[in-house]
Every structure is written in structure tokens, then in C-alpha cells.
Amino acid sequence: MRVSERLAADLRVSNLSWRQSSGVSVLQFRANAELTQSAKELDQLRREVLEQSDSRVIIDLSRVTRIDSAGLGQLMGCYSHLVRNEGSMRIVNASPEIKKLLT
């Protein structure tokens, strides 16, 4: 495999896992992640939520180590999208620092 093919394959691998549980989509990061303006995980999270056919989503932030204003804005955008579509979004397992930011 050529180096360029290997790099392209690595870029397609997502750090975000998705599963269904009792009619709810659960999104969880596989490894530590930052939800910052320059982080690819932020875009992955936004795409996953906006493309879900389910209107009930749980986002597990147990592996998120940092969120900046761009990340907070994207989370709010996801929440607004789901509420407009008569859905809901819950955030679980946030660290104390991230809980403080969210409140």
C-alpha cells in the first residue's frame, strides 16, 4: 500500500463510535478527544448528530478533555437541531471541568 493510500485510510477512521440502545443513538469517543475549532472530532460529532434519523441522542463525553467556544457552539447547534425535530439530546460522563463549562 502506498503512503498516500495509507494516510487516506487513516483519515477515514473515525474516533467516534455510534450504537443504538433502546431507540436512542449513543455517540462515544474511542480515544481522548478535544472539541475545539481545529479538531476533526468536532466535525465528526456534528455530522453524526445531524445525519441521524433518530431524534434522541446521548453524547458520552468521558473521553473529551477540552471544549472551546467552537465546540460549545457545535454542541448547542446539535441540541437546537434535535429539539426543532421534536427530539432530545443528553450529555453524559463529562469531566468536572467540562460540566462547569456547560453550566
Side-chain angles (χ1 to χ4, degrees):
M1 183 182 283
R2 293 187 308 184
V3 173
S4 60
E5 291 171 331
R6 177 65 187 234
L7 285 172
D10 288 346
L11 289 174
R12 285 192 298 271
V13 174
S14 175
N15 185 21
L16 196 60
S17 69
W18 172 88
R19 66 182 168 86
Q20 281 282 63
S21 178
S22 303
V24 177
S25 293
V26 179
L27 301 174
Q28 182 177 31
F29 292 93
R30 292 184 174 104
N32 286 350
E34 292 186 352
L35 298 182
T36 61
Q37 184 174 7
S38 60
K40 67 180 181 178
E41 288 90 357
L42 183 59
D43 192 45
Q44 291 171 347
L45 176 66
R46 181 188 54 79
R47 268 185 289 154
E48 284 292 327
V49 171
L50 297 181
E51 293 174 1
Q52 291 296 322
S53 59
D54 301 322
S55 60
R56 295 176 13 187
V57 175
I58 294 174
I59 301 174
D60 184 338
L61 296 182
S62 59
R63 294 190 176 220
V64 174
T65 58
R66 185 169 160 245
I67 297 177
D68 68 3
S69 60
L72 187 58
Q74 288 289 3
L75 286 173
M76 292 304 299
C78 292
Y79 174 79
S80 296
H81 168 78
L82 290 165
V83 169
R84 273 192 311 272
N85 292 297
E86 299 180 11
S88 64
M89 181 177 95
R90 300 285 184 258
I91 293 176
V92 297
N93 300 326
S95 70
E97 296 84 18
I98 292 178
K99 279 183 187 178
K100 184 177 178 181
L101 172 72
L102 294 173
T103 56

